[in-house]
Amino acid sequence: MKTVPIISAEKAASLVKDGDIILGGGFGMTGNPVNIIHELAKTKTKDLTFIANNVGEPNMGGGRLLNNGQLKKMIGSFFTSNREAVLAAQEGRVEYELLPQGTLAEAIRAGGAGIGGFYTPTSAGTLIAEGRETKMLNGKEQVFIEGIRGNVAIIRAWKADTAGNLQYRMTEQNFNRAMATAADIVIAEVQEIVPNGDIDPNEIHTPGCFVDYLVERKLTEEDLGSSASVGSSKVIDKKRMNMAKRAFAELEKGDVVNLGIGIPTLVADLIKPEDGIILHTENGMLGVGPEPKDGGGAMYYPVNAGKVPVTALPGSSYFDSADSFAMIRGGHIDVAIMGGLEVDAQGNLANWAVPGKPLLGVGGAMDLASGAKKLIITLGHTDREGASKVVEKCSLPITDFNCVDMLITELAVFKFIEGKLTLIEILPGSSLEEVREKTAAKFVEQLS
């Protein structure tokens, strides 16, 4: 059995050369090889292309490389979680490319498998797909995405043996597993290195043939950024909870459900074990439970797609981001509940970008909008200026077309019945007159 060299984080950083394409593992700071990245930030290495779900957090992980001016380009899914990265992109200080989260994961998996590229319906017809080849397959417009490879992959695992076999922990698989296959040099930062044979072959997630170097560095709570503790404060008022309760009423026993951030997260608080509803999170978990009661963070618990620590229910499972989005695109998610910025009379959804605002990240929204069997959108009926968000035609960048099945606002519930926006229910505290007054889109009234 081969023996993989064990090196220092400083030596690992020295393997990165000017102009390299770097694959950086992690989802936020969870499963993030922060120690090696921070050593790289101490060097003068420059003109790097950094590929990751996001660019760390402000001055953490890839965020530190950004602030040092070491990045020429960043490619990712959700830069919004690092305001400094958004500003750098919008001010033209760094090049960027935005990909839907599932597309990014699959592109890395394809690159690692020696596949030149693939077609996906995700992002078809949107700004994200501009300039890309498209083709009609199975009656759907699909976008061609090239496989992604890097010069160096810097990943994080929990345990390694001296042959380079890796084992991940909880939701720390995320992008790490695919990235371990998709670079010329793969460096794994791990919590612990054990002798060969100490890891059961059944429990190895990345075989040692993919790994070139190991770095043993202990994870600390300071390395976990915003996921170090629960620390989330949900704003719960009566109207928001009414919306969550109405969305919850649409769920059936046995449903596999993905919840977006914002109001949809309130639905999780309504689910009881006897409801038999299984929560899915894009970063690699099925069977998401409530937040830890002890306030513990990602050192001890998995995290959800909002990077908030959660618990695992009996029967839960963990997997990587590529497998997670295979579940979504493959039609294995029964219901997705997401927030929105606009929904129009054709069932089009806009929920990822507002021109001029510090938003730069589509995350998993496009994959979920096109892949979930049923899509429920919750949003405030009007904006701060009183303009309707239920519009005749979306003015903001589209997430997906003709995808919305149900729309829930604080005023009313709409369904798309035979392709028509249809008012089916008035929520408490509102009236038909108010709904008519505040809805810009034309709709059919079908109140019971």
Side-chain angles (χ1 to χ4, degrees):
M1 190 67 68
K2 76 166 186 174
T3 300
V4 172
I6 301 171
I7 61 175
S8 67
E10 295 84 354
K11 174 63 177 176
S14 74
L15 297 174
V16 180
K17 306 303 180 187
D18 288 353
D20 273 353
I21 298 172
I22 306 301
L23 304 181
F27 187 87
M29 300 308 298
T30 303
N32 193 303
V34 63
N35 293 289
I36 298 176
I37 298 295
H38 285 178
E39 289 299 331
L40 180 58
K42 296 176 183 177
T43 72
K44 295 182 179 179
T45 311
K46 62 183 185 303
D47 295 329
L48 302 173
T49 296
F50 190 74
I51 302 176
N53 182 57
N54 54 354
V55 188
E57 294 185 2
N59 208 37
M60 290 191 70
R64 191 167 294 187
L65 300 177
L66 173 75
N67 290 350
N68 287 351
Q70 292 172 276
L71 301 187
K72 176 181 70 175
K73 184 175 183 179
M74 52 189 190
I75 300 174
S77 162
F78 197 74
F79 302 127
T80 302
S81 57
N82 184 346
R83 185 181 177 86
E84 293 170 353
V86 176
L87 291 176
Q90 293 179 336
E91 293 173 359
R93 289 184 280 118
V94 62
E95 299 173 42
Y96 72 93
E97 182 178 349
L98 190 61
L99 290 171
Q101 194 175 131
T103 297
L104 176 63
E106 193 65 25
I108 296 167
R109 178 158 69 176
I115 296 171
F118 59 94
Y119 285 93
T120 175
T122 301
S123 80
T126 73
L127 290 177
I128 299 291
E130 283 189 355
R132 296 188 182 275
E133 177 192 341
T134 62
K135 181 179 288 189
M136 293 298 294
L137 294 171
N138 300 319
K140 285 187 176 181
E141 183 182 13
Q142 304 208 23
V143 182
F144 182 74
I145 304 293
E146 293 184 355
I148 290 176
R149 284 190 62 87
N151 299 112
V152 182
I154 305 175
I155 64 171
R156 173 85 194 180
W158 191 249
K159 186 182 289 187
D161 64 22
T162 53
N165 296 308
L166 303 181
Q167 182 183 71
Y168 305 96
R169 184 185 70 137
M170 299 186 298
T171 48
E172 294 172 1
Q173 293 186 45
N174 50 65
F175 283 83
N176 285 303
R177 272 184 61 187
M179 287 181 173
T181 71
D184 302 327
I185 298 174
V186 176
I187 309 167
E189 177 183 310
V190 300
Q191 185 82 357
E192 180 184 14
I193 300 173
V194 299
N196 283 345
D198 276 21
I199 305 177
D200 187 319
N202 290 302
E203 297 176 353
I204 290 170
H205 300 116
T206 295
C209 66
F210 293 111
V211 179
D212 297 294
Y213 298 96
L214 295 172
V215 174
E216 185 176 72
R217 288 290 291 264
K218 302 298 183 185
L219 187 70
T220 67
E221 290 193 354
E222 288 73 24
D223 298 327
L224 295 169
S226 61
S227 297
S229 62
V230 171
S232 63
S233 57
K234 294 179 182 176
V235 179
I236 305 176
D237 61 33
K238 188 173 182 180
K239 290 183 177 180
R240 289 166 62 90
M241 185 52 72
N242 282 343
M243 294 164 68
K245 288 178 179 178
R246 186 59 186 83
F248 171 72
E250 291 296 309
L251 306 183
E252 299 180 2
K253 191 167 187 175
D255 275 351
V256 177
V257 179
N258 183 286
L259 301 177
I261 59 175
I263 292 171
T265 62
L266 301 178
V267 176
D269 298 332
L270 303 173
I271 298 172
K272 301 182 290 295
E274 58 267 28
D275 294 324
I277 293 166
I278 306 160
L279 294 183
H280 168 274
T281 182
E282 299 102 283
N283 57 309
M285 183 178 180
L286 198 61
V288 178
E291 294 176 3
K293 292 182 179 179
D294 61 8
M299 183 69 77
Y300 311 103
Y301 295 100
V303 301
N304 64 18
K307 304 178 185 67
V308 175
V310 293
T311 54
L313 299 178
S316 296
S317 58
Y318 301 116
F319 33 88
D320 77 335
S321 294
D323 281 349
S324 185
F325 281 91
M327 295 177 187
I328 294 169
R329 287 190 307 272
H332 305 288
I333 305 301
D334 296 301
V335 184
I337 306 175
M338 294 195 296
L341 297 171
E342 287 181 337
V343 171
D344 70 21
Q346 290 73 49
N348 302 323
L349 168 67
N351 79 340
W352 68 276
V354 178
K357 299 285 186 178
L359 298 173
L360 191 66
V362 68
M366 286 186 176
D367 302 274
L368 284 160
S370 65
K373 294 176 183 176
K374 181 176 182 178
L375 179 62
I376 300 173
I377 299 299
T378 61
L379 84 169
H381 206 98
T382 59
D383 63 19
R384 292 179 180 179
E385 285 73 41
S388 178
K389 295 182 182 179
V390 186
V391 295
E392 191 63 24
K393 185 177 181 181
C394 286
S395 61
L396 297 176
I398 295 292
T399 302
D400 195 37
F401 298 89
N402 307 116
C403 59
V404 180
D405 297 291
M406 174 176 278
L407 170 62
I408 301 172
T409 77
E410 75 277 18
L411 304 183
V413 181
F414 298 86
K415 275 188 177 180
F416 285 85
I417 299 175
E418 297 180 353
K420 295 181 179 180
L421 180 65
T422 305
L423 175 66
I424 64 166
E425 189 176 332
I426 306 293
L427 288 186
S430 182
S431 65
L432 178 58
E433 290 71 23
E434 184 179 17
V435 175
R436 288 172 176 168
E437 177 188 349
K438 294 182 177 180
T439 305
K442 297 175 183 176
F443 59 89
V444 176
E445 296 176 13
Q446 200 174 103
L447 298 168
S448 56

